[in-house]
Amino acid sequence: MSANDSICVLGLGLIGGSLLRAATAAGRVGFGYNRSPATVDEARAAGYDADDDLHAVLTRAAAQDALIVIATPVTALDPILDAIARHAPNCAITDVISVKAVVAQSVAAHGLSARYVGGHPMAGTAESGWAATDPALFTGATWVVGTDDGVDPQVWQSVSALAGAVGGVVVPVATDDHDRAVAAISHLPHLTAAVTAAVGGGEGALALRLAAGSFRDGTRVAGTAVPLQRAMLEANAPALLVTLSETIDRLTRARDELRDHGSVQVVADNGHRARLRYEEMVADEPDPIVDVEIGTPGWTGDLRHQAHLGRVWRGAQTRSASPE
């Protein structure tokens, strides 16, 4: 199977709706499902192919051999997978859910692992719903493509090609590595934003009137709908608990250092250095992954190794094994 031009997006909120718009703009044949008739009406009014009949959408996906993209909250995953297993079991499947282990486990439980490659575009806003969708949302955004041993190389290429087509920068990542990393750089910031907002708000109207850039930037993601936050954070509980424990330990040491010595130097220095490293990394053009032949023995490990060096996958820089 070559990269299929047809995609079926299940869930037309911020990420799924933006993907349908971006993929269509990139020349893909795109159609989607949402359980809310109101969202479907919005998508149709904007000129997109959408339906609230999941059976019909998946039957169409099977007929077109479409790449199915699951873009629902993780809490809605099992009914979606049940329907795929019944109506489109041979389609390639990916997702845009922000946790990977729980999705992979559910996919396996439904007997769909052979055609599944996980995905996660590192893009979004605090807004939600079709009205917040943006076809440029993924331009320049890192897009994780699951690279566990045993994934189908052709499905992997299809998912990577879709990510690239909508402007994403593909980073090959294993499931466990992904969940640990996003616990630290995405899920923890949601918790610290919530705490910062709660503490600031607890100081009353005067504090909120004085709040400026630091409070605004540090609490932005606290504005995300609470059910969406909970679905994301709670689904990654094992990795998030480890990261949260480290955070509490660092804050406890900072409190003790301030109380006993009047200093916050250690925590401020560590954070400053880490932020500068981040700024340097995002300012530089990442090196491409090279000399990986997709589908040959060890290709997933080779991709993961180079990704850990900060490199990204660009189709033009890699060679694909010829299908037998």
Side-chain angles (χ1 to χ4, degrees), residues 295-313:
T296 58
W299 68 278
T300 51
D302 292 341
L303 287 178
R304 294 194 301 267
H305 171 71
Q306 295 202 41
H308 275 283
L309 298 176
R311 298 173 182 168
V312 301
W313 187 84

Side-chain angles (χ1 to χ4, degrees), residues 185 271-284:
I185 55 86
H272 183 69
R273 284 195 297 270
R275 173 67 190 196
L276 292 181
R277 289 200 306 273
Y278 164 73
E279 291 177 355
E280 290 172 1
M281 176 168 282
V282 298
D284 294 336

Side-chain angles (χ1 to χ4, degrees), residues 8 61 73 83 106 113 150 205 240 259 275 284 307:
C8 169
S106 266
S113 295
L240 184 54
R259 180 195 61 212
R275 173 67 190 196
D284 294 336

Side-chain angles (χ1 to χ4, degrees), residues 147 150-157 292-303 313 318-324:
T147 316
V151 299
D152 185 308
Q154 294 178 323
V155 177
W156 194 92
Q157 288 177 297
V292 176
E293 193 169 338
I294 305 301
T296 58
W299 68 278
T300 51
D302 292 341
L303 287 178
W313 187 84
T318 62
R319 296 173 293 126
S320 300
S322 299
E324 296 180 354

Side-chain angles (χ1 to χ4, degrees), residues 16-241:
S18 295
L19 179 57
L20 179 61
R21 295 181 65 189
T24 302
R28 299 294 181 105
V29 176
F31 56 99
Y33 157 82
N34 204 85
R35 68 178 182 177
S36 165
T39 297
V40 169
D41 288 344
E42 286 184 276
R44 286 176 172 172
Y48 294 92
D49 189 344
D51 203 322
D52 60 0
D53 184 337
L54 182 58
H55 178 181
V57 169
L58 288 175
T59 299
R60 179 179 173 187
Q64 296 185 12
D65 191 26
L67 171 62
I68 294 174
V69 183
I70 302 172
T72 63
V74 69
T75 50
L77 185 59
D78 280 335
I80 291 290
L81 290 172
D82 283 340
I84 294 173
R86 288 197 305 271
H87 303 300
N90 296 317
C91 283
I93 306 167
T94 188
D95 71 289
V96 290
I97 297 173
S98 64
V99 290
K100 296 274 68 77
V102 68
V103 176
Q105 290 161 8
S106 266
V107 169
H110 288 82
L112 297 168
S113 295
R115 304 289 291 159
Y116 169 74
V117 170
H120 180 202
M122 305 299 295
T125 71
E127 305 302 321
S128 59
W130 177 266
T133 62
D134 179 1
L137 183 66
F138 309 109
T139 302
T142 297
W143 194 305
V144 169
V145 178
T147 316
D148 295 297
D149 291 339
V151 299
D152 185 308
Q154 294 178 323
V155 177
W156 194 92
Q157 288 177 297
S158 292
V159 174
S160 297
L162 173 62
V166 298
V169 179
V170 173
V171 177
V173 180
T175 292
D176 291 345
D177 288 342
H178 169 275
D179 286 359
R180 286 194 300 270
V182 296
I185 55 86
S186 177
H187 300 165
L188 176 67
H190 275 80
L191 287 181
T192 56
V195 171
T196 301
V199 171
E203 288 295 317
L206 174 61
L208 293 178
R209 178 62 64 193
L210 297 177
S214 296
F215 185 83
R216 181 191 65 240
D217 296 344
T219 63
R220 178 184 63 80
V221 294
T224 305
V226 171
L228 296 180
Q229 291 192 64
R230 288 193 59 193
M232 173 178 66
L233 302 178
E234 293 168 7
N236 200 25
L240 184 54
L241 282 169

